Amino acid sequence: MRLPAMRRSASVTLLLMLGTVMAACGSSSPSKTATATNVVCTAKTGSTLAVLGDDKHLEDSDNIIPIVRTSVAQQPLIDALNQVSAALSQVALVNLNVQVSDDRVDPTAAATQFVSAHNLGQGLSGGSGSITIAAQGFDENETLADIAADVLTKVGYTATAKVVGERELYEPALEANQVQAVMDYAASMTTYLATKVNSTLMPSTQIATTVTVLKQLATPRGLTVLNAAAATDEDAFAVTRATATAYGLKTLSDLATKCPGGVTLGGPANCPQRPECQPGLLGTYKLKTTFTALDEDGPLTRSALNSGKVFLGVIFSSDPDATPA
Amino acid sequence: MLGANCLRANSWVCGAYLSSREGQIIHFTIQHLELSGLSIGLGLVFAIPLSLLALSRRWLRASVLSLLGVIYTIPSLALFVLLQPWLGVTHATPVVVALVAYSQLLLVRNFLVGLDEVPAEVIDAARGMGYGPLALLWRVRLPLALPAIFAGLRVTTVSTIALLTVGGVINQGGLGSLLFQGFQDNFHAQVLVASVLIVVLGILADVVVVGLQWLATPWQRAGQA
């Protein structure tokens, strides 16, 4: 909940700086003028990426959030998992993913290291009983489940992380008490539960609102929603570090201001149809884009960005190479 | 971290993968053997009475075989999802149930083919010598049907070891779990090691079944020699 506020104030400062820079260059102020609308920006090649801040909150808030069965939601468990959430900043999550996805450290080992580095579980005790934490079958989620299991073990539970697979598998397992906890993603879980009960409730781009909606959906199903982490795993828009430096870009608002003529965009084939992708860039940021279909956060997107074939690429905010601009 | 560079480079062949994930690889290999062994064993337990039943009643035979044929056509992924509400997803039961169900068509059909192909004059001769129905089955028909039975068992063994891989979608697929995770995480060394091990297990298991057949049918060797 602290993050959006911080981002907003940061972006105000940035806009002020931007205005100064542009005035100094003899260019017009960020308001629309005839000359400014023609500026089409071209990408600079480079091997490292920079994620532009989503300062106007285009993306649904897919923050990491522990969800547990209400039947096991005693104080030691709640406190322990909320400690994990508190430790999971975006940088911390990206660093974990660098370890497991780039350096291929075993998720269990990365988790143990994270728990001791952040002193998780410190001062907590009194847990008892056995808790199985469901994990989805990819590095990041396995690592998060391992972290939760480690912390709960420290607090006194007999906790194990178990890869169960997709949400369609682990959510019913959670309701059926086959597993007791999961490190989930707020917006995705909200959408899943809303669809499951044919509700019109939807996740929001603000995490606080998403959590409120998620609680409404989860509570009747015997599930307790704990605190959301600052870290997200959601769509993010990246440029090369060289491009960010050359144009002075930190946020998507910066990009819209600096390149009113538009930029090229590469990403998954469904980006032109998804409201939070190409249409959202135009709607929320007034950023015009020419789209090239590449892949979902894969090597094609990376190489198109690196080679300057596309200016802006769609990746995930928790990718190992997703460092903020 | 000797050789850890091939992990970072995501090489297909990577010794550091083997050394850093040794425990995991052994765990999943053992799980693969356990689950496929259990499925084949249970498959036999069900297939034998089912074959005898189909053999005893001519009219049952077509319906049993067509029912097993229908089961065989259900995609495994669909079967796991169908079984999940009853059997859960945190253990391997749905996978074993699915594999046992699939094995029935292969086993029962081959059992029946084998038992049927015993020449009528041999059966007549045995009856003439005073064999009752049980002794006829046990001492005449079954030994003569063994080559066809073993052919069915070989196909079942290899297909079970291969099909178990699909259990990886619910992380209960032995080496299939390793394969699926490697695929999901774009981890080349893991994908290669898991694939190679599945193939090796399949070949080794086939060799074992052939060996069992060799031991079980000494008269065939005598005939060939």
Side-chain angles (χ1 to χ4, degrees):
Chain A
M1 267 179 280
R2 275 178 57 216
L3 186 68
M6 280 166 59
R7 274 194 180 165
R8 210 173 298 122
S9 65
S11 72
V12 169
T13 324
L14 274 162
L15 279 172
L16 287 173
M17 282 167 58
L18 209 76
T20 323
V21 169
M22 291 188 89
C25 295
S27 170
S28 60
S29 67
S31 65
K32 260 193 189 169
T33 68
T35 48
T37 48
N38 296 328
V39 181
V40 176
C41 297
T42 46
K44 308 276 179 240
T45 59
S47 57
T48 53
L49 302 183
V51 171
L52 300 182
D54 180 17
D55 51 324
K56 289 185 182 169
H57 300 288
L58 169 61
E59 297 304 325
D60 279 344
S61 35
D62 245 334
N63 297 55
I64 308 235
I65 191 161
I67 298 177
V68 303
R69 283 182 56 78
T70 308
S71 59
V72 298
Q74 306 116 349
Q75 211 54 47
L77 182 129
I78 294 175
D79 290 344
L81 293 183
N82 280 341
Q83 270 194 3
V84 175
S85 287
L88 281 170
S89 65
Q90 193 66 36
V91 174
L93 181 64
V94 168
N95 281 341
L96 276 172
N97 283 336
V98 168
Q99 289 179 49
V100 294
S101 302
D102 274 2
D103 299 345
R104 303 290 182 186
V105 174
D106 196 43
T108 329
T112 314
Q113 204 186 347
F114 184 85
V115 168
S116 65
H118 288 80
N119 271 328
L120 297 178
Q122 195 85 345
L124 297 176
S125 63
S128 67
S130 88
I131 303 283
T132 305
I133 299 115
Q136 301 189 50
F138 57 93
D139 285 336
E140 175 184 289
N141 204 251
E142 277 176 60
T143 314
L144 292 173
D146 282 334
I147 290 173
D150 265 17
V151 176
L152 291 181
T153 306
K154 271 192 163 181
V155 174
Y157 291 94
T158 313
T160 42
K162 195 166 185 70
V163 175
V164 172
E166 311 280 310
R167 190 170 284 105
E168 286 71 13
L169 291 169
Y170 72 72
E171 195 280 334
L174 203 54
E175 288 188 31
N177 202 18
Q178 292 163 357
V179 294
Q180 287 76 38
V182 66
M183 298 299 282
D184 217 311
Y185 301 92
S188 303
M189 185 58 154
T190 306
T191 310
Y192 172 86
L193 287 177
T195 314
K196 188 171 177 172
V197 297
N198 277 325
S199 158
T200 51
L201 291 172
M202 279 198 310
S204 152
T205 58
Q206 303 287 341
I207 181 61
T209 317
T210 303
V211 170
T212 311
V213 174
L214 180 55
K215 282 181 176 165
Q216 272 182 55
L217 290 162
T219 311
R221 313 197 75 80
L223 303 178
T224 297
V225 177
L226 304 181
N227 292 351
T232 62
D233 181 354
E234 58 196 24
D235 278 354
F237 296 94
V239 296
T240 59
R241 175 80 41 203
T243 306
T245 314
Y247 288 92
L249 306 173
K250 289 277 183 195
T251 63
L252 287 167
S253 292
D254 294 351
L255 179 60
T257 319
K258 292 277 180 129
C259 308
V263 294
T264 47
L265 169 70
N270 61 4
C271 178
Q273 283 84 47
R274 273 165 39 196
E276 76 284 7
C277 208
Q278 194 185 19
L281 288 174
L282 187 64
T284 307
Y285 289 98
K286 309 282 173 256
L287 176 66
K288 291 177 209 148
T289 50
T290 319
F291 181 72
T292 311
L294 298 166
D295 56 7
E296 177 107 49
D297 190 41
L300 296 181
T301 303
R302 296 297 190 289
S303 72
L305 275 168
N306 295 343
S307 63
K309 204 182 129 204
V310 297
F311 189 97
L312 191 63
V314 185
I315 64 168
F316 289 144
S317 57
S318 64
D319 285 343
D321 54 356
T323 42
Chain B
M1 294 276 273
L2 185 71
N5 283 338
C6 67
L7 284 175
R8 200 166 285 118
N10 203 11
S11 315
W12 285 95
V13 179
C14 180
Y17 168 73
L18 293 176
S19 51
S20 66
R21 306 293 204 282
E22 196 187 343
Q24 207 181 19
I25 297 168
I26 293 171
H27 166 80
F28 282 116
T29 308
I30 291 173
Q31 192 190 40
H32 205 105
L33 286 172
E34 281 174 356
L35 291 180
S36 40
L38 184 66
S39 305
I40 297 162
L42 283 175
L44 281 172
V45 167
F46 286 100
I48 292 167
L50 208 55
S51 308
L52 294 178
L53 190 73
L55 199 68
S56 61
R57 304 271 183 282
R58 282 270 150 195
W59 58 272
L60 257 178
R61 187 187 173 114
S63 32
V64 165
L65 281 179
S66 47
L67 177 72
L68 295 180
V70 170
I71 292 173
Y72 198 72
T73 59
I74 305 173
S76 46
L77 195 55
L79 206 51
F80 299 150
V81 175
L82 285 173
L83 294 172
Q84 188 264 333
W86 293 288
L87 301 174
V89 283
T90 54
H91 47 82
T93 320
V95 180
V96 173
V97 169
L99 291 180
V100 170
Y102 288 134
S103 71
Q104 295 308 297
L105 180 70
L106 301 174
L107 290 172
V108 172
R109 198 168 54 189
N110 275 280
F111 284 5
L112 291 179
V113 166
L115 293 168
D116 272 350
E117 276 179 1
V118 178
E121 53 271 30
V122 174
I123 294 174
D124 280 345
R127 284 214 180 100
M129 289 169 73
Y131 280 88
L134 260 181
L136 183 72
L137 179 70
W138 185 246
R139 300 194 50 193
V140 180
R141 297 184 83 174
L142 201 60
L144 287 173
L146 275 181
I149 290 174
F150 270 102
L153 193 57
R154 279 181 70 182
V155 177
T156 308
T157 304
V158 175
S159 106
T160 301
I161 286 175
L163 263 177
L164 177 62
T165 310
V166 187
V169 287
I170 57 170
N171 201 44
Q172 299 292 343
L175 291 163
S177 306
L178 212 55
L179 185 65
F180 270 73
Q181 279 172 36
F183 192 66
Q184 192 131 27
D185 299 332
N186 191 33
F187 196 171
H188 292 160
Q190 184 162 319
V191 170
L192 184 74
V193 166
S195 314
V196 168
L197 282 176
I198 293 165
V199 173
V200 168
L201 283 189
I203 294 172
L204 285 180
D206 194 42
V207 170
V208 168
V209 177
V210 171
L212 286 176
Q213 180 176 5
W214 190 80
L215 289 174
T217 54
W219 57 87
Q220 284 212 320
R221 298 199 296 281
Q224 277 159 16

